[in-house]
Amino acid sequence: MMKSQAAESQQLTFVHHLGQAVVGFVTLAGDLTLFGLRMASWIIPGWPRGNVLWPVMYQIGVLSLPVILITGGFIGMVLSVQAYEQFALMHMESQLGTVVNVTLLKELGPVLAAVMLAGRVGSAMAAQLGTMRVTEQIDALTALGANPVAYLVVPRFLACFLLIPLLTLFADGIGVLSGWWFSTQVLDVESFYYWHHSRRFVTSYDLLSGILKSVFFGTAISLIACHRGFHSRAGAEGVGQAATEAFVYSFVVILGIDFLLGYLLMELYPILWK
Amino acid sequence: MSSLIELENVSRQFGTQQVLRDITLSVETGKTLVLIGESGCGKSVTMKLMMNLLPPSSGTVLWDGRPVKDRTEKEIVRERLRFGYLFQGAALFDSLTVFENVAFGLRQNRRLHPKQISQTVHERLRDVGLDPAIVVDKKPAELSGGMRKRVGLARALAMDPEVMLYDEPTTGLDPIMSDVINELILRTRERCNVTSIVVTHDMNTVQKVADRVVMFYPLARLNPEDPQIIFDGAAEEAFESLDPRVSQFVRGEAGERLQELAIG
Ligand SMILES: Nc1ncnc2c1ncn2[C@@H]1O[C@H](COP(=O)(O)OP(=O)(O)OP(=O)(O)O)[C@@H](O)[C@H]1O
Ligand SMILES: [Mg+2]
């Protein structure tokens, strides 16, 4: 018995593992899509009551503000530092505002805010729902006539869908200010030119692209976190794993969406923007 | 005899582990059925199958003689409210207070005046031997294990179910409180002819409440052709059974299973 098992595992080649990984990935993606559709079908009939929605909104929105402001503040300053070096070489310091603000609004603001929130909000949601799964609270919801998807997933989705773009706007705002402050006060760029060039080259298309991305990021974070929580395995280890997976999967999906949308929005720019 | 819940040739497995095999069992209306059997033999799983919280791997679950899977999702949700379930680990919602836990089903499904809800919650808490004034504002984490269990019981009873499923109602309670709960099970049954299914390891409960006892045996130690239900009859018969697997269990004697200790 032992022998045949050992022989079998030796026969598992790289191709087997690759196959398993592909099957695992496709199953997971399909599962997640079905989960999303199930959630979507409950948004209208299961619209959450205020006393269910507000605490979730508070958790996700208000309590995330500090980390979001810190994230935004540092991105603005880091971008100024990095871009300044390059621009100074070409004696184009006055153009600094353009690159700082475009990168911030279009790319780094939404992505880093989303990654921060995947860590803070996503893993917390996965851990909470995982605990509820493991301690049979999700079964208890069903037993008491509440649909767990409507009661647990819909409010979390709504909160992420609405608040993650809003939090991204906050991060953007603080980032713009901190970038300006650092560039003009520390790096001695002329404030007039900083804004002048920013205004010439930063369009609302950049801002809207960033916000559109963050809508997708918010959706992905909430669905992945709830899905991982719902399928948590038993025990503290299972719940911990659900939380970790929620973060890691969200991170990968955020990068994937960022790339796809970035590419798409670039191609669409001439069509959509005059 | 009409039966509210029936299992017909039901099997259930988790991954490769088979837990229930070919179980056929019907619960008579208004009677109390006690399920016994050693830890891990699938009693809790059976209760979840009965309430359709888990689907069977094969076989049919029937409510009122009609297969559950012939019903629409909506019908299932509505009819499930006829059942009350005390979970083994109480399964209280830990973000809600005791009051909100007990009121949950009422709020979710009935249009009641807040005063009526509050009155029902207080009554049910008193029924299970808790002082409402002390516990209502507490979170489940602030309660002892036995108190949590009783809040879970109050929550299930608040909906005035036709069928009560109790998963180990007295585990973790002191002997006095256990007796209170046994009495509560009896009274609940008498009050409105409630059908009860009780999973327990407590032989006092068996003696006190059972109209019928069914004993499961773990599949792992069963021959493939033997039935998994090794006893089905009145409580007295269980105590007089000639099958050593049954008599040793109800008397709490390890018998030849003591040898398993030697392995370690
Ligand atoms: N959701 C699940 N996923 C995987 N395995 C499960 C699940 N639920 C139960 N099992 C397995 O099914 C078996 C029976 O579990 P069950 O909870 O019904 O036991 P039990 O008879 O209630 O035991 P106890 O008296 O200890 O409560 C166990 O071996 C358990 O590992
Ligand atoms: Mg059990």
Side-chain angles (χ1 to χ4, degrees):
Chain A
M1 183 69 186
M2 292 284 278
K3 230 177 202 170
S4 78
Q5 261 177 5
E8 219 169 276
S9 67
Q10 270 173 0
Q11 281 164 6
L12 281 183
T13 59
F14 170 71
V15 179
H16 286 94
H17 290 297
L18 189 70
Q20 275 170 357
V22 170
V23 169
F25 176 76
V26 172
T27 316
L28 190 69
D31 219 31
L32 197 62
T33 313
L34 286 180
F35 189 75
L37 291 176
R38 197 144 63 92
M39 191 283 301
S41 74
W42 274 104
I43 293 181
I44 303 296
W47 191 267
R49 299 179 201 182
N51 63 352
V52 176
L53 188 58
W54 290 126
V56 176
M57 294 267 234
Y58 180 79
Q59 268 288 332
I60 292 173
V62 179
L63 296 186
S64 298
L65 261 181
V67 290
I68 281 300
L69 297 184
I70 292 172
T71 311
F74 276 105
I75 308 172
M77 293 193 289
V78 168
L79 278 173
S80 328
V81 175
Q82 292 304 323
Y84 181 79
E85 270 189 71
Q86 310 294 318
F87 277 56
L89 287 177
M90 297 177 275
H91 303 289
M92 284 167 61
E93 295 92 332
S94 62
Q95 291 279 356
L96 196 55
T98 315
V99 73
V100 169
N101 288 325
V102 168
T103 320
L104 182 75
L105 296 184
K106 229 170 136 174
E107 195 58 47
L108 286 188
V111 171
L112 289 182
V115 169
M116 194 69 198
L117 291 168
R120 207 202 88 79
V121 173
S123 16
M125 290 196 303
Q128 195 197 3
L129 298 197
T131 308
M132 292 188 74
R133 158 68 68 208
V134 169
T135 56
E136 300 184 317
Q137 290 177 57
I138 292 184
D139 283 333
L141 281 174
T142 313
L144 291 166
N147 183 288
V149 172
Y151 189 81
L152 296 173
V153 185
V154 169
R156 282 165 179 75
F157 162 76
L158 288 175
C160 286
F161 181 81
L162 298 172
L163 294 180
I164 289 187
L166 197 65
L167 288 167
T168 302
L169 272 178
F170 277 109
D172 286 352
I174 292 290
V176 168
L177 287 179
S178 71
W180 164 77
W181 175 81
F182 195 79
S183 305
T184 55
Q185 303 303 308
V186 182
L187 303 174
D188 284 330
V189 177
E190 199 60 53
S191 188
F192 172 76
Y193 289 110
Y194 187 89
W195 288 126
H196 179 71
H197 289 300
S198 292
R199 226 169 305 146
R200 259 182 55 199
F201 293 103
V202 182
T203 60
S204 350
Y205 190 76
D206 297 320
L207 179 65
L208 289 178
S209 311
I211 297 305
L212 182 73
K213 281 181 185 175
S214 71
V215 170
F216 279 86
F217 296 157
T219 307
I221 290 172
S222 64
L223 286 182
I224 290 172
C226 292
H227 182 261
R228 285 295 86 202
F230 263 53
H231 294 90
S232 169
R233 286 184 306 106
E237 202 183 327
V239 173
Q241 196 186 355
T244 313
E245 280 175 359
F247 177 69
V248 174
Y249 292 1
S250 299
F251 193 11
V252 173
V253 170
I254 286 168
L255 293 179
I257 292 177
D258 185 46
F259 168 68
L260 283 177
L261 276 184
Y263 181 66
L264 205 67
L265 288 167
M266 185 181 80
E267 294 286 313
L268 287 177
Y269 178 71
I271 306 167
L272 293 177
W273 219 250
K274 59 181 177 197
Chain B
M1 256 307 164
S2 65
S3 38
L4 254 167
I5 305 180
E6 282 169 86
L7 302 181
E8 256 179 31
N9 309 106
V10 166
S11 303
R12 172 73 211 202
Q13 51 194 53
F14 293 102
T16 53
Q17 181 201 6
Q18 179 140 34
V19 177
L20 295 173
R21 186 180 66 205
D22 206 18
I23 298 282
T24 299
L25 187 65
S26 74
V27 187
E28 290 151 80
T29 308
K31 291 275 156 49
T32 302
L33 170 75
V34 174
L35 280 181
I36 57 172
E38 49 187 270
S39 213
C41 69
K43 304 180 297 295
S44 299
V45 171
T46 308
M47 302 255 271
K48 286 191 187 148
L49 288 170
M50 286 177 168
M51 216 171 149
N52 198 41
L53 292 176
L54 269 179
S57 305
S58 67
T60 320
V61 179
L62 303 99
W63 291 343
D64 293 322
R66 200 169 134 233
V68 173
K69 57 182 176 227
D70 289 355
R71 289 167 160 86
T72 64
E73 188 60 36
K74 255 200 176 130
E75 283 177 304
I76 293 177
V77 171
R78 200 177 52 233
E79 292 194 35
R80 193 154 37 206
L81 293 176
R82 297 160 56 203
F83 302 78
Y85 195 148
L86 167 62
F87 286 86
Q88 187 167 358
L92 301 182
F93 305 124
D94 42 30
S95 57
L96 303 181
T97 62
V98 167
F99 182 91
E100 281 160 347
N101 264 284
V102 180
F104 191 90
L106 298 172
R107 289 232 174 101
Q108 193 71 30
N109 305 290
R110 312 246 162 94
R111 302 204 163 277
L112 292 179
H113 194 270
K115 263 201 191 125
Q116 277 174 295
I117 293 184
S118 169
Q119 196 188 337
T120 313
V121 169
H122 284 236
E123 257 171 45
R124 291 296 169 269
L125 285 172
R126 273 193 291 269
D127 285 347
V128 297
L130 292 169
D131 182 353
I134 296 175
V135 294
V136 279
D137 290 326
K138 290 213 157 105
K139 288 279 177 74
E142 301 166 67
L143 302 177
S144 77
M147 287 164 95
R148 274 201 283 272
K149 198 79 185 236
R150 286 183 278 156
V151 174
L153 186 53
R155 182 177 71 181
L157 290 171
M159 296 288 288
D160 288 323
E162 284 172 52
V163 183
M164 264 304 299
L165 298 103
Y166 305 88
D167 200 341
E168 306 199 6
T170 58
T171 304
L173 300 186
D174 62 74
I176 309 281
M177 201 37 77
S178 298
D179 205 46
V180 170
I181 298 300
N182 289 338
E183 197 58 42
L184 181 70
I185 294 175
L186 281 177
R187 258 192 279 154
T188 308
R189 183 196 129 183
E190 276 151 26
R191 195 176 55 216
C192 13
N193 200 31
V194 171
T195 308
S196 318
I197 300 142
V198 184
V199 166
T200 190
H201 294 302
D202 180 346
M203 290 308 139
N204 289 329
T205 305
V206 176
Q207 272 171 327
K208 196 146 188 190
V209 307
D211 291 316
R212 175 180 164 205
V213 176
V214 167
M215 179 163 171
F216 283 18
Y217 205 67
L219 275 187
R221 283 191 282 106
L222 211 55
N223 294 325
E225 65 279 3
D226 289 341
Q228 193 176 6
I229 294 182
I230 58 169
F231 178 85
D232 185 346
E236 308 83 65
E237 292 169 39
F239 288 93
E240 286 152 18
S241 171
L242 295 177
D243 185 339
R245 294 174 304 181
V246 179
S247 58
Q248 283 172 1
F249 187 85
V250 296
R251 284 198 226 106
E253 292 161 359
E256 69 270 22
R257 304 243 354 243
L258 268 180
Q259 286 160 2
E260 286 176 20
L261 275 179
I263 299 169

